[in-house]
Amino acid sequence: MNRGRLVLINVIGLVIIIAALAGGAYYYYESTNFIKTDEAKVSGELYTIVAPAAGKLADWDLQEGDSVSKDDKVANVTTLDGKEAVKTAAQGTIVKTQVHDEQLVQAGQTLAQTINMEGLSITANIEENKLKDIEKGDSVDIIIDGDPDTVFEGTLEQIGYATTSVFSVMGNQNSNGNYTKVTQKVPVKISIKAPSDKVLPGMNAEVKISTK
């Protein structure tokens, strides 16, 4: 083997070793200073606009995307005794309408749903054995599938008081006597600083919580 080829092999080997060390150092830094999960979604406070009484809906012209304020009068329901106003429960954007004008409705029927787009947050599920490393106020980097080229800043606002399994319809009952321990997850709420118009409720997200 000539000298030049030997030097080249040594250089390549050295580069591989350096890359492996750098990768290991990066992994160690990330794993000791951050908690990551892609089990996260954009969420927002969902409110419903309901019919105040049974009757015929009148003056209904709300469309998805329309903005409303709290206690806005958005329609009327004509009853046998007159008219009753349909009002909004909170400020927000119409995300779903379920009726049309002049439709017969029942008292309490959902007419539309709103979400406050200015108050969006992230709900992420964190493994129970990692909760000890996080606390309210921790800074968070957020990537959202609907706007993947932007890293949004966030803050850990709330840590849940129960695991997600508590809210499972089926639960984790085991009737055969065999038990397999499963790591539980706890939902946390993360605020988003200045989300873009591309960020919508229900979108998937990835979060990286700083534990430094």
Side-chain angles (χ1 to χ4, degrees):
M1 183 181 296
N2 61 49
R3 182 180 179 82
R5 189 167 185 178
L6 181 61
V7 170
L8 178 60
I9 292 174
N10 289 336
V11 169
I12 293 174
L14 183 61
V15 169
I16 293 174
I17 292 172
I18 292 174
L21 290 174
Y26 175 78
Y27 175 80
Y28 176 79
Y29 175 81
E30 289 286 305
S31 62
T32 56
N33 291 280
F34 301 97
I35 291 176
K36 302 178 183 179
T37 182
D38 60 0
E39 195 173 328
K41 288 186 180 294
V42 180
S43 58
E45 293 186 356
L46 182 69
Y47 290 89
T48 57
I49 300 174
V50 300
K56 186 176 183 179
L57 189 64
D59 306 317
W60 177 266
D61 62 356
L62 285 181
Q63 304 292 325
E64 293 180 6
D66 288 349
S67 296
V68 295
S69 299
K70 181 177 172 59
D71 293 327
D72 277 354
K73 179 181 176 181
V74 294
N76 292 294
V77 173
T78 303
T79 69
L80 295 176
D81 299 321
K83 290 185 177 181
E84 291 199 34
V86 177
K87 293 187 176 182
T88 56
Q91 176 183 335
T93 299
I94 303 295
V95 294
K96 185 175 181 60
T97 59
Q98 299 181 216
V99 292
H100 54 79
D101 197 33
E102 299 188 353
Q103 177 179 330
L104 293 176
V105 296
Q106 299 298 317
Q109 179 179 337
T110 296
L111 309 180
Q113 295 173 306
T114 69
I115 292 179
N116 183 0
M117 295 298 186
E118 296 178 2
L120 296 179
S121 60
I122 298 290
T123 299
N125 293 327
I126 304 298
E127 293 179 352
E128 59 185 336
N129 54 6
K130 296 180 180 178
L131 288 180
K132 64 183 186 301
D133 298 320
I134 62 175
E135 60 184 7
K136 293 181 182 179
D138 285 346
S139 60
V140 186
D141 289 338
I142 305 165
I143 296 177
I144 298 168
D145 286 6
D147 194 356
D149 297 325
T150 304
V151 178
F152 296 98
E153 296 179 11
T155 302
L156 182 60
E157 298 288 346
Q158 183 178 2
I159 299 174
Y161 293 95
T163 66
T164 55
S165 64
V166 171
F167 308 105
S168 171
V169 175
M170 298 301 294
N172 290 326
Q173 300 297 324
N174 191 328
S175 59
N176 62 14
N178 296 323
Y179 176 73
T180 301
K181 183 176 180 180
V182 177
T183 299
Q184 300 297 310
K185 297 180 180 180
V186 176
V188 301
K189 181 180 179 181
I190 300 165
S191 64
I192 314 173
K193 183 178 180 181
S196 68
D197 293 338
K198 299 177 183 178
V199 176
L200 300 176
M203 285 184 169
N204 291 314
E206 299 177 18
V207 301
K208 185 168 74 171
I209 305 171
S210 175
T211 59
K212 294 183 292 185

